[in-house]
Each structure stands twice: as structure tokens, then as C-alpha cells.
Amino acid sequence: MPPRPPHERHVPSSAISSFIEPERVEALLAPWLPDAQDRAFVVRCMLGEGPAHHRGANYVLLTLLGRVLEHLPPLDSVPAPMGEPIEVPMRLPPHLAKASEPKSYPLRLPSQPLEQLAPRGSRPFEAMVDCLTDGPPQHALSNVAMVTLLTEILSRLERGGRT
Amino acid sequence: MTALPEGLEQSFTVAAGELGMACAAWLFVENVAREAGDAGVGALRDALGRPFPVLDAVAAQWLAGARALNTDPSRLLAAVEGSAGLVVVGLEAFFLDVLVARLPPDTRCALLCHSPFDVDWERVLSNYGGRVEPVNLESFQAWAGPRSVLLTFAYGVGGHSANVLPAWVRATGEDVRTQFRALMAWDVLPAPMFVYPRWLVEVDAASFTHLFQA
């Protein structure tokens, strides 16, 4: 099939769902989500819910980060230190949010790479955390999963540079 | 033609509300069969099948030789293992009874008090001695969380679709779907619908994370 011009590129959503392999991303995230049910929940939020183009984009980006990891020798301890992990809040409706115990997703945001960009506790740092963890779960959890993989990638690169 | 007692539709409506459509249907079919045999079940189907399609399907199952409901919750219990909370959308009493009886004590259970029928929820919940807590459409999200599960009863799964109560569709919007670890359905009517499935809505079977056949 000849490539379509960019403005006519839309494909049927079935074409998107057909290339997504959730088990591949589940395997990729296993070191950070050892519980199989937690893993299935987070991966469903990223690849099984929300608009089709987000599901597909999440899959492509996460899988490519996984490919990068495959090319880097693993550290002695996997996963790499994450700093102090930050919870990803579950957004309940306002009338329930105050009354019930705060809920969070099982995957937490590594603080370690963000601390390379801004001091922990600073306003820019807090703003970065807010940007990465806000919005619908298919965004927030994918952001966090990507930062998690980037943390591992950066740690392996740094270790490789030192030896 | 076999004569049926007066007021069956009214009494079935009450039973369907407080037992669930499938359980009430089995109760009525078994009792009519005991009194009037297959001819009675046929008459019951003719009288109430159109307004109550689940009763129609259960009567058809009976006439085809089925004689018992399979309420074994083992596979479902294995899937909810480790859950902190289970919110049940819809009521099928015989199924809920066995499930609640075998639910681990550290798994809280709630029932969404929403039905197409008039239901005395206090009376329904009193059967569970405080083990099942009431929630409504405004409050059930307080049970959301990474260790929480939503469960409903399905009424026939055919091809890629399943029939569920309207409450399930109202409860499981895009916001809620990502706030519960699993979205499960327990199919209590493993038979095709013969008449229009009124009181129910069709959903994509793939929208459940788990689907259990009775």
C-alpha cells in the first residue's frame, strides 16, 4: 500500500489495536510492578483505555524505550535507585475526594531523574511532578512509566560511563 | 392450556427486584414445573416471556433439559484474591449469597443500590448481616483504588457482546474504568436470548477484564 499524505493518514482503530501487545509492556514493567494484578491494571490504563491514538502512541514509546534498555548492560541491582518515589493520585470526584482516604496507582514516579533538573521540593520540581502525574490515567501513568524506564536507562548509561 | 395463578407478573416483578431476574426466573420456573410440569413452564413462558426476557430464556433452558443453576464462585474468588474491596453492580441473590459466604474477611463488599425494579434495599441487605454495604451512583467511587474490583452480572454472552443491567453502563464511564483494578462480569444466563432483552443493555464483551460463565 503506498504511503498516504500526512493529512490523510488516519487509520481504522482496529489497525491500532492490532499492533498493541500488552504482554510486551507488562514484561517490560515487571521489575517495578512485581504484582501481576497491579501490572495488568496499570498496563490496561495505558494501552486499553482512552482514545485509540493515545493507546497506540503509549505502546510505541514504551516499547522503544524497552528497546533502548535491551542495548544497555543491566546494573548489578535492577531496578536502578529511583530516589524517593512519588505517588500518582487517583482523581476521585470532589464530593468523595475529601471524605475518603486518598487513592493512588500502583506505579510511582521516580524522583531521582527530576532532581537532576530541579532541586527536590523547589517550585519547578513540584510543577514537573504535577505535569507528569495530572490528567487522565492513560497520560499520567504513561508519563510515569516512561520516566521510570528513563531512570533505568540513565542509570545504566552513567554506570557505563564510569567504568 | 395450563392455567397459571393470577398476579404472576406482579409477584415476578417483586421477586426480580429483590432476587435478581435470573434467580427469580429459576425460582418461578422450578415451582411452576413442580406443580404443572413442562406444560406449565411453557405457559409461564408465553405469559411472561416477552416482558421478562431473562425468564423467557430460563424457561427455554428448562424445557431444553437444564435443571440447576451453576452458582460455583471458585474462579471468580481466585480472580478477586488480594482485593481490598468488591463493588457489585446488580443483584442475583443466589450467586451473591455463595460469593459473599466465601469472600475473604479482609475483602469488603458493597452492593450498588440501583435497579430497574422497585427494591426494598434495606430488606435485601439485611440478608447479609452487615457483610455487604450499600453504595449508590454518587458514592460508589469512594471504593475505587488499585485493590478494588467492580463486578456485575451478565445475561448471556453472544459473540463479542454481553447483556448487562443499565446501572453497569452508568457506573463504568471512562473515569471509573481506570480507578478499579478489574471490571468483572459473571454470566448468569449461559443461553441465547430469544426475545428482545428489555431492561438490559448490550455492551462489548471485551470491555470486561474478566468474564466468568456460570
Side-chain angles (χ1 to χ4, degrees):
Chain A
M1 185 184 294
R4 292 182 174 190
H7 294 87
E8 296 173 22
R9 197 179 283 146
H10 295 304
V11 298
S13 55
S14 60
I16 296 174
S17 54
S18 66
F19 74 72
I20 294 175
E21 299 174 40
E23 60 281 2
R24 197 166 169 177
V25 175
E26 285 194 28
L28 185 59
L29 295 177
W32 298 276
L33 287 167
D35 181 279
Q37 291 182 320
D38 283 346
R39 221 161 41 234
F41 176 40
V42 168
V43 170
R44 173 170 66 83
C45 288
M46 297 189 296
L47 307 182
E49 305 287 349
H53 68 285
H54 283 305
R55 304 179 193 198
N58 289 341
Y59 175 77
V60 170
L61 292 167
L62 288 165
T63 309
L64 286 175
L65 287 170
R67 294 278 291 165
V68 176
L69 270 181
E70 285 171 12
H71 286 84
L72 296 169
L75 301 172
D76 296 337
S77 64
V78 177
M82 294 172 63
E84 195 174 320
I86 299 162
E87 296 203 344
V88 181
M90 199 174 269
R91 307 290 186 187
L92 295 186
H95 74 287
L96 296 174
K98 286 180 183 164
S100 56
E101 191 184 326
K103 320 278 177 151
S104 301
Y105 287 94
L107 187 64
R108 293 185 295 171
L109 175 67
S111 65
Q112 194 267 350
L114 303 187
E115 288 167 21
Q116 297 177 29
L117 305 177
R120 187 182 175 91
S122 67
R123 197 158 180 81
F125 179 91
E126 295 300 331
M128 288 176 199
V129 170
D130 193 21
C131 292
L132 290 166
T133 60
D134 201 14
Q138 71 262 29
H139 289 312
L141 286 171
S142 297
N143 291 341
V144 172
M146 286 181 218
V147 174
T148 300
L149 296 174
L150 285 165
T151 306
E152 182 72 23
I153 290 168
L154 287 167
S155 296
R156 291 189 191 186
L157 287 171
E158 285 167 9
R159 179 66 58 90
R162 279 202 295 272
T163 54
Chain B
M1 183 175 170
T2 306
L4 295 171
E6 295 285 322
L8 263 189
E9 179 163 357
Q10 191 179 4
S11 57
F12 184 79
T13 303
V14 174
E18 301 201 2
L19 295 176
M21 285 191 278
C23 294
W26 272 96
L27 189 68
F28 273 55
V29 165
E30 282 174 340
N31 279 284
V32 167
R34 190 176 305 123
E35 296 297 323
D38 281 2
V41 174
L44 177 70
R45 189 181 180 196
D46 276 348
L48 298 185
R50 291 296 303 283
F52 301 107
V54 174
L55 173 64
D56 184 82
V58 169
Q61 278 183 279
W62 179 278
L63 294 172
R67 288 296 179 267
L69 264 177
N70 176 12
T71 57
D72 181 5
S74 302
R75 290 177 55 233
L76 200 153
L77 282 164
V80 300
E81 192 179 343
S83 302
L86 173 68
V87 178
V88 182
V89 178
L91 174 64
E92 286 295 343
F94 303 156
F95 293 85
L96 190 60
D97 290 354
V98 292
L99 176 64
V100 169
R102 290 176 55 184
L103 213 52
D106 54 353
T107 302
R108 291 173 65 205
C109 184
L111 178 65
L112 185 79
C113 297
H114 189 286
S115 172
F117 303 99
D118 286 329
V119 178
D120 182 338
W121 291 108
E122 198 175 328
R123 188 163 61 201
V124 168
L125 290 165
S126 69
N127 293 318
Y128 300 101
R131 183 69 177 88
V132 178
E133 303 171 45
V135 291
N136 57 37
L137 280 172
E138 280 189 2
S139 66
F140 82 98
Q141 258 176 291
W143 285 61
R147 297 276 184 278
S148 298
V149 171
L150 272 175
L151 167 71
T152 196
F153 301 101
Y155 298 87
V157 178
H160 298 294
S161 64
N163 297 307
V164 295
L165 289 166
W168 177 255
V169 180
R170 293 184 185 124
T172 55
E174 292 294 326
D175 54 340
V176 169
R177 291 185 58 81
T178 51
Q179 294 180 340
F180 284 80
R181 179 169 80 187
L183 304 147
M184 301 182 179
W186 193 357
D187 184 13
V188 296
L189 189 73
M193 287 279 188
F194 185 71
V195 297
Y196 168 67
R198 68 186 75 246
W199 322 124
L200 300 170
V201 288
E202 193 176 271
V203 296
D204 185 350
S207 62
F208 301 109
T209 59
H210 302 71
L211 181 55
F212 304 99
Q213 301 279 342

mmCIF file of all heavy atoms in Angstrom, chain B residues 52-71:
data_model
loop_
_atom_site.group_PDB
_atom_site.id
_atom_site.type_symbol
_atom_site.label_atom_id
_atom_site.label_comp_id
_atom_site.label_asym_id
_atom_site.label_seq_id
_atom_site.Cartn_x
_atom_site.Cartn_y
_atom_site.Cartn_z
ATOM 1 N N PHE B 52 -40.377 -10.199 30.333
ATOM 2 C CA PHE B 52 -39.208 -10.572 31.150
ATOM 3 C C PHE B 52 -38.333 -11.548 30.352
ATOM 4 O O PHE B 52 -38.443 -12.768 30.504
ATOM 5 C CB PHE B 52 -39.659 -11.188 32.479
ATOM 6 C CG PHE B 52 -40.513 -10.250 33.298
ATOM 7 C CD1 PHE B 52 -41.869 -10.457 33.420
ATOM 8 C CD2 PHE B 52 -39.936 -9.146 33.923
ATOM 9 C CE1 PHE B 52 -42.653 -9.588 34.163
ATOM 10 C CE2 PHE B 52 -40.718 -8.273 34.673
ATOM 11 C CZ PHE B 52 -42.077 -8.488 34.786
ATOM 12 N N PRO B 53 -37.463 -11.024 29.522
ATOM 13 C CA PRO B 53 -36.698 -11.890 28.615
ATOM 14 C C PRO B 53 -35.767 -12.871 29.327
ATOM 15 O O PRO B 53 -35.473 -13.939 28.782
ATOM 16 C CB PRO B 53 -35.893 -10.895 27.766
ATOM 17 C CG PRO B 53 -35.911 -9.620 28.529
ATOM 18 C CD PRO B 53 -37.168 -9.611 29.318
ATOM 19 N N VAL B 54 -35.321 -12.521 30.531
ATOM 20 C CA VAL B 54 -34.466 -13.470 31.256
ATOM 21 C C VAL B 54 -35.298 -14.675 31.682
ATOM 22 O O VAL B 54 -34.849 -15.826 31.583
ATOM 23 C CB VAL B 54 -33.793 -12.785 32.471
ATOM 24 C CG1 VAL B 54 -33.014 -13.810 33.301
ATOM 25 C CG2 VAL B 54 -32.864 -11.672 32.002
ATOM 26 N N LEU B 55 -36.528 -14.416 32.126
ATOM 27 C CA LEU B 55 -37.440 -15.520 32.463
ATOM 28 C C LEU B 55 -37.699 -16.368 31.225
ATOM 29 O O LEU B 55 -37.711 -17.602 31.291
ATOM 30 C CB LEU B 55 -38.751 -14.960 33.017
ATOM 31 C CG LEU B 55 -39.877 -15.974 33.260
ATOM 32 C CD1 LEU B 55 -39.488 -16.988 34.326
ATOM 33 C CD2 LEU B 55 -41.163 -15.264 33.665
ATOM 34 N N ASP B 56 -37.880 -15.732 30.096
ATOM 35 C CA ASP B 56 -38.103 -16.451 28.846
ATOM 36 C C ASP B 56 -36.930 -17.392 28.558
ATOM 37 O O ASP B 56 -37.129 -18.560 28.221
ATOM 38 C CB ASP B 56 -38.263 -15.439 27.703
ATOM 39 C CG ASP B 56 -38.605 -16.111 26.390
ATOM 40 O OD1 ASP B 56 -39.797 -16.409 26.179
ATOM 41 O OD2 ASP B 56 -37.675 -16.355 25.601
ATOM 42 N N ALA B 57 -35.717 -16.877 28.721
ATOM 43 C CA ALA B 57 -34.529 -17.683 28.422
ATOM 44 C C ALA B 57 -34.365 -18.822 29.427
ATOM 45 O O ALA B 57 -33.982 -19.942 29.051
ATOM 46 C CB ALA B 57 -33.285 -16.798 28.412
ATOM 47 N N VAL B 58 -34.659 -18.549 30.696
ATOM 48 C CA VAL B 58 -34.533 -19.608 31.705
ATOM 49 C C VAL B 58 -35.575 -20.699 31.455
ATOM 50 O O VAL B 58 -35.274 -21.896 31.556
ATOM 51 C CB VAL B 58 -34.664 -19.012 33.129
ATOM 52 C CG1 VAL B 58 -34.806 -20.124 34.173
ATOM 53 C CG2 VAL B 58 -33.448 -18.143 33.447
ATOM 54 N N ALA B 59 -36.794 -20.280 31.106
ATOM 55 C CA ALA B 59 -37.827 -21.276 30.793
ATOM 56 C C ALA B 59 -37.410 -22.119 29.585
ATOM 57 O O ALA B 59 -37.605 -23.346 29.572
ATOM 58 C CB ALA B 59 -39.152 -20.566 30.523
ATOM 59 N N ALA B 60 -36.823 -21.465 28.604
ATOM 60 C CA ALA B 60 -36.356 -22.205 27.419
ATOM 61 C C ALA B 60 -35.258 -23.196 27.807
ATOM 62 O O ALA B 60 -35.242 -24.337 27.313
ATOM 63 C CB ALA B 60 -35.839 -21.219 26.369
ATOM 64 N N GLN B 61 -34.365 -22.763 28.707
ATOM 65 C CA GLN B 61 -33.312 -23.675 29.182
ATOM 66 C C GLN B 61 -33.929 -24.882 29.880
ATOM 67 O O GLN B 61 -33.494 -26.014 29.691
ATOM 68 C CB GLN B 61 -32.405 -22.949 30.189
ATOM 69 C CG GLN B 61 -31.315 -22.083 29.589
ATOM 70 C CD GLN B 61 -30.469 -21.498 30.712
ATOM 71 O OE1 GLN B 61 -30.835 -20.512 31.335
ATOM 72 N NE2 GLN B 61 -29.355 -22.136 30.990
ATOM 73 N N TRP B 62 -34.929 -24.609 30.710
ATOM 74 C CA TRP B 62 -35.596 -25.692 31.447
ATOM 75 C C TRP B 62 -36.224 -26.687 30.464
ATOM 76 O O TRP B 62 -36.057 -27.905 30.595
ATOM 77 C CB TRP B 62 -36.670 -25.109 32.367
ATOM 78 C CG TRP B 62 -37.407 -26.168 33.131
ATOM 79 C CD1 TRP B 62 -38.449 -26.942 32.704
ATOM 80 C CD2 TRP B 62 -37.118 -26.627 34.460
ATOM 81 N NE1 TRP B 62 -38.843 -27.825 33.673
ATOM 82 C CE2 TRP B 62 -38.036 -27.658 34.762
ATOM 83 C CE3 TRP B 62 -36.175 -26.255 35.419
ATOM 84 C CZ2 TRP B 62 -38.041 -28.325 35.987
ATOM 85 C CZ3 TRP B 62 -36.184 -26.909 36.637
ATOM 86 C CH2 TRP B 62 -37.095 -27.928 36.911
ATOM 87 N N LEU B 63 -36.921 -26.163 29.492
ATOM 88 C CA LEU B 63 -37.592 -27.034 28.523
ATOM 89 C C LEU B 63 -36.584 -27.805 27.678
ATOM 90 O O LEU B 63 -36.896 -28.859 27.125
ATOM 91 C CB LEU B 63 -38.527 -26.207 27.630
ATOM 92 C CG LEU B 63 -39.722 -25.586 28.378
ATOM 93 C CD1 LEU B 63 -40.493 -24.621 27.483
ATOM 94 C CD2 LEU B 63 -40.658 -26.676 28.911
ATOM 95 N N ALA B 64 -35.350 -27.268 27.594
ATOM 96 C CA ALA B 64 -34.289 -27.972 26.852
ATOM 97 C C ALA B 64 -33.545 -28.962 27.754
ATOM 98 O O ALA B 64 -32.594 -29.601 27.310
ATOM 99 C CB ALA B 64 -33.310 -26.961 26.266
ATOM 100 N N GLY B 65 -33.944 -29.031 29.019
ATOM 101 C CA GLY B 65 -33.357 -30.047 29.887
ATOM 102 C C GLY B 65 -32.519 -29.546 31.045
ATOM 103 O O GLY B 65 -32.107 -30.338 31.907
ATOM 104 N N ALA B 66 -32.229 -28.253 31.101
ATOM 105 C CA ALA B 66 -31.434 -27.732 32.217
ATOM 106 C C ALA B 66 -32.257 -27.831 33.502
ATOM 107 O O ALA B 66 -33.466 -27.582 33.502
ATOM 108 C CB ALA B 66 -31.046 -26.286 31.944
ATOM 109 N N ARG B 67 -31.605 -28.189 34.608
ATOM 110 C CA ARG B 67 -32.352 -28.363 35.850
ATOM 111 C C ARG B 67 -31.727 -27.641 37.037
ATOM 112 O O ARG B 67 -32.284 -27.663 38.131
ATOM 113 C CB ARG B 67 -32.483 -29.872 36.192
ATOM 114 C CG ARG B 67 -33.457 -30.618 35.285
ATOM 115 C CD ARG B 67 -34.881 -30.089 35.471
ATOM 116 N NE ARG B 67 -35.864 -30.753 34.607
ATOM 117 C CZ ARG B 67 -36.221 -30.304 33.410
ATOM 118 N NH1 ARG B 67 -35.664 -29.206 32.903
ATOM 119 N NH2 ARG B 67 -37.137 -30.932 32.697
ATOM 120 N N ALA B 68 -30.590 -27.015 36.873
ATOM 121 C CA ALA B 68 -29.981 -26.346 38.030
ATOM 122 C C ALA B 68 -29.116 -25.178 37.582
ATOM 123 O O ALA B 68 -28.550 -25.193 36.483
ATOM 124 C CB ALA B 68 -29.136 -27.339 38.816
ATOM 125 N N LEU B 69 -29.038 -24.188 38.455
ATOM 126 C CA LEU B 69 -28.130 -23.059 38.240
ATOM 127 C C LEU B 69 -26.741 -23.454 38.711
ATOM 128 O O LEU B 69 -26.624 -24.098 39.763
ATOM 129 C CB LEU B 69 -28.575 -21.881 39.115
ATOM 130 C CG LEU B 69 -29.457 -20.787 38.540
ATOM 131 C CD1 LEU B 69 -29.797 -19.799 39.639
ATOM 132 C CD2 LEU B 69 -28.736 -20.083 37.418
ATOM 133 N N ASN B 70 -25.738 -23.030 37.997
ATOM 134 C CA ASN B 70 -24.370 -23.235 38.477
ATOM 135 C C ASN B 70 -23.915 -21.943 39.150
ATOM 136 O O ASN B 70 -23.613 -20.963 38.471
ATOM 137 C CB ASN B 70 -23.459 -23.604 37.308
ATOM 138 C CG ASN B 70 -22.002 -23.721 37.739
ATOM 139 O OD1 ASN B 70 -21.705 -23.745 38.940
ATOM 140 N ND2 ASN B 70 -21.102 -23.785 36.782
ATOM 141 N N THR B 71 -23.895 -21.955 40.477
ATOM 142 C CA THR B 71 -23.501 -20.741 41.206
ATOM 143 C C THR B 71 -22.086 -20.853 41.783
ATOM 144 O O THR B 71 -21.729 -20.084 42.672
ATOM 145 C CB THR B 71 -24.488 -20.454 42.357
ATOM 146 O OG1 THR B 71 -24.523 -21.598 43.223
ATOM 147 C CG2 THR B 71 -25.888 -20.171 41.828
#
